[in-house]
Amino acid sequence: MMSNSMEWEAEADLVVVGGGVAGLTAVRTAALRGLRVLVLSKGGPTDTSTQYAQGGIAVVAPHGDSVESHVEDTVVAGAGLCDVEAVRSIVEGGVEAVDALTALGAVFDHGRDGEVSRTREGGHSTRRIIHAGGDATGAEVQRALNAAGLPVMFGAAVVDVVTGPEGVRGVIAVSDKGFGVVHAPAVLLATGGLGQLYACSTNPAGATADGIALALRAGAVVSDLEFVQFHPTVLFSPGGVGRRPLISEAVRGEGAVLVGSLGDLVMAGVHPRGDLAPRDIVSKAIAARMLDLGADHVYLDGRAIAWFGERFPTITASCRAAGIDPRVDLIPVAPAAHYQCGGVVTDTHGRTTVPGLYAAGEVARTGLHGANRLASNSLLEGLVVGGRAGVAAGERIGAAERIGEVAVRAYPRADRKLLQELMTQHAAVVRDGDGLRGAVLRLMGLIADNSATGEVAHANPAAVTRELEDAALTLTARALLLAASARTESRGCHLRSDHPEARDELRHPIAVRLGADGRPQRAIEEGVQ
């Protein structure tokens, strides 16, 4: 039976948490195999990170490219922490996944020769990035998936994943109907990233690390959380906070260059690929140049791209809204939180360490990204692993009992603004041990100042969702700071000023799980340590 606090219930073979590329792709493949699927999305149809993805999808080109070339580029960018077999598996699945998306109605840009247009981005050795609407690839992917008429309950936030001796049993959720349960033997987390841990990011407001917290509380292992990729070129605005417009790497792929306030080339002599070096290297170079100049931004010079407005309409609109004409003006840019390279530990079919719990997309750690994600591999991973997870969930049909009596728990949380300031100051592009240790102590103080325990009373769903988000951000920050403190080296997008070099003995993932006391602790799980 349900607790008296539950006001509705539903049943499904698979519950998908999140309505972006990974989640909706999983829904489609699961539904095609006869599974009853329900999507719970706390936002609306376009409140996803997928919607804002600009660059494109990295997929092996039919000419002058190969799977091994794409694998090599990915592994080099991943700075020694990629799972090479996982990389190969996902890259090999790219063409089929894109073909399925195209069959669903997604329209990609074509050149004058009638072939799909491809561009090049940082870290890639060739032009293999397909795109849509110039710089609106994510919006087109989201449109095509939304148009497929998949079953989604919008405005429904998941409170907890319920487990039993046989694994997942379903979820507790809150919607405008109040608290309820969905009985299901399989749950797929496809909740996106953690950008809202920081004062400024490219992520939408809903990127509050929900999936990380749900997975940890369900007993799953997370890994590589310390590798938060800061996109090097985000439109700078003095005092700007919240979601900031991204200036896609594809702009540099078409010839734009980074310059300092004195007109000097930021990437000169830094890397053989110059402005198309991997993102971690470009972000580090920009941070160093800003420090040297005492500046809070550098510039992107795209004035040589004669067809800038046609190729990059979304970016052009963002620039013009800020009073900048990219055809004649330099674009002020600075790094900002962009992508969660680590996440819930899974295989390449989305299976986690908890039976019946799956994860796909940005929330997952498949081994594809390692210490630094290669540009445009994110939509690729969402399509491939999301699709596979939808198939894998079929193995759970009839595997678990229905949810019995439950109660809604509250979790410790810190004030979001103060947490964002803390993480921005001590766990952003460049970090050090003293700052990380201070951040841990300060965070514990913030939790004590704003503690929440006991059972949640019935309340406005929006208020409950906000509290859930704050609790997820707080728990994820604790796990991230633990991993970042343990990684006493600089690797990929994890840069320690007190440990500027990589260390061979730390060439392994740092995994975290919840201890019996509810606190994040280091974990060792079947090859993931």
Side-chain angles (χ1 to χ4, degrees):
M1 298 179 57
M2 293 186 296
S3 163
N4 291 334
S5 62
M6 298 294 115
E7 297 176 295
W8 58 272
E9 63 180 317
E11 292 188 37
D13 298 317
L14 170 64
V15 173
V16 173
V17 188
V21 58
L24 293 186
T25 300
V27 174
R28 182 170 180 269
T29 59
L32 287 173
R33 285 157 179 78
L35 273 67
R36 299 170 300 159
V37 187
L38 177 62
V39 182
L40 300 178
S41 176
K42 67 179 181 180
T46 59
D47 292 331
T48 69
S49 292
T50 299
Q51 176 72 23
Y52 294 99
Q54 290 181 351
I57 304 172
V59 61
V60 174
H63 308 292
D65 196 8
S66 68
V67 167
E68 288 309 311
S69 174
H70 191 170
V71 169
E72 181 180 359
D73 290 346
T74 300
V75 170
V76 169
L81 286 190
C82 292
D83 179 328
V84 178
E85 291 309 309
V87 173
R88 183 172 290 109
S89 173
I90 293 169
V91 167
E92 286 177 340
V95 172
E96 181 180 356
V98 169
D99 286 346
L101 184 63
T102 302
L104 196 61
V107 179
F108 295 98
D109 296 336
H110 287 67
R112 294 178 180 177
D113 59 0
E115 297 294 322
V116 173
S117 298
R118 294 176 186 267
T119 191
R120 182 182 171 199
E121 295 181 351
H124 288 274
S125 56
T126 190
R127 298 174 72 92
R128 64 168 64 97
I129 317 299
I130 64 174
H131 47 83
D135 57 359
T137 308
E140 174 58 15
V141 170
Q142 190 73 53
R143 182 205 63 78
L145 290 168
N146 286 347
L150 303 171
V152 183
M153 180 185 295
F154 295 111
V158 173
V159 178
D160 266 319
V161 176
V162 181
T163 61
E166 303 301 320
V168 166
R169 300 173 68 180
V171 300
I172 304 172
V174 62
S175 71
D176 58 4
K177 296 183 291 185
F179 292 109
V181 298
V182 182
H183 307 277
V187 172
L188 170 67
L189 302 175
T191 53
L194 48 66
Q196 293 303 315
L197 269 180
Y198 296 89
C200 182
S201 87
T202 64
N203 293 186
T208 52
D210 304 347
I212 298 296
L214 289 170
L216 283 171
R217 294 196 294 257
V221 175
V222 302
S223 183
D224 298 346
L225 285 187
E226 68 271 31
F227 298 111
V228 179
Q229 186 178 79
F230 283 72
H231 198 288
T233 53
V234 173
L235 185 63
F236 175 80
S237 174
V241 295
R243 194 187 77 82
R244 299 296 304 155
L246 177 68
I247 308 298
S248 171
E249 212 152 345
V251 177
R252 282 175 282 137
E254 299 296 348
V257 294
L258 287 160
V259 297
S261 58
L262 302 178
D264 53 307
L265 296 175
V266 172
M267 295 304 296
V270 174
H271 189 274
R273 290 182 177 172
D275 288 88
L276 288 177
R279 286 178 178 172
D280 61 314
I281 294 171
V282 179
S283 289
K284 183 178 180 181
I286 292 174
R289 187 56 51 88
M290 291 192 302
L291 182 62
D292 289 343
L293 298 173
D296 48 15
H297 66 281
V298 294
Y299 296 94
L300 188 64
D301 186 354
R303 294 175 295 181
I305 305 175
W307 31 271
F308 195 108
E310 178 181 342
R311 172 66 176 86
F312 303 111
T314 305
I315 293 171
T316 299
S318 295
C319 288
R320 287 180 174 167
I324 300 162
D325 184 346
R327 297 173 303 175
V328 298
D329 298 326
L330 298 177
I331 305 171
V333 294
H338 180 57
Y339 194 86
Q340 166 190 318
C341 295
V344 185
V345 175
T346 76
D347 63 13
T348 56
H349 289 75
R351 300 181 186 93
T352 74
T353 54
V354 175
L357 183 64
Y358 304 80
E362 188 173 354
V363 72
R365 183 269 188 193
T366 60
L368 174 64
H369 306 308
N372 179 55
R373 177 175 67 89
L374 181 66
S376 287
N377 269 357
S378 51
L379 290 177
L380 167 72
E381 184 181 41
L383 287 168
V384 174
V385 181
R388 292 175 180 176
V391 175
E395 66 198 13
R396 286 286 297 175
I397 292 180
E401 298 179 358
R402 290 166 60 87
I403 296 173
E405 185 170 336
V406 294
V408 180
R409 294 175 292 174
Y411 297 99
R413 60 188 186 276
D415 177 86
R416 185 181 304 195
K417 184 175 184 296
L418 295 177
L419 176 61
Q420 289 172 335
E421 291 174 354
L422 181 73
M423 296 297 287
T424 300
Q425 181 178 0
H426 297 297
V429 178
V430 181
R431 309 160 183 182
D432 63 55
D434 289 343
L436 291 168
R437 284 187 289 272
V440 171
L441 294 174
R442 177 61 178 143
L443 177 55
M444 297 311 297
L446 292 177
I447 294 172
D449 291 342
N450 189 15
S451 60
T453 57
E455 186 172 331
V456 175
H458 287 243
N460 183 301
V464 173
T465 299
R466 177 77 180 193
E467 291 183 3
L468 290 171
E469 291 177 338
D470 289 348
L473 288 170
T474 301
L475 177 57
T476 302
R478 294 172 68 182
L480 190 159
L481 291 171
L482 172 64
S485 297
R487 187 163 293 285
T488 51
E489 65 165 354
S490 290
R491 183 183 296 276
C493 53
H494 181 79
L495 305 173
R496 286 280 295 261
S497 60
D498 52 346
H499 295 282
E501 304 298 328
R503 298 169 58 193
D504 286 343
E505 63 269 31
L506 286 175
R507 188 176 174 177
H508 60 74
I510 293 176
V512 175
R513 70 185 318 158
L514 286 193
D517 60 359
R519 297 184 179 187
Q521 63 181 29
R522 294 281 299 276
I524 298 178
E525 282 284 336
E526 297 182 2
V528 177
Q529 68 173 18

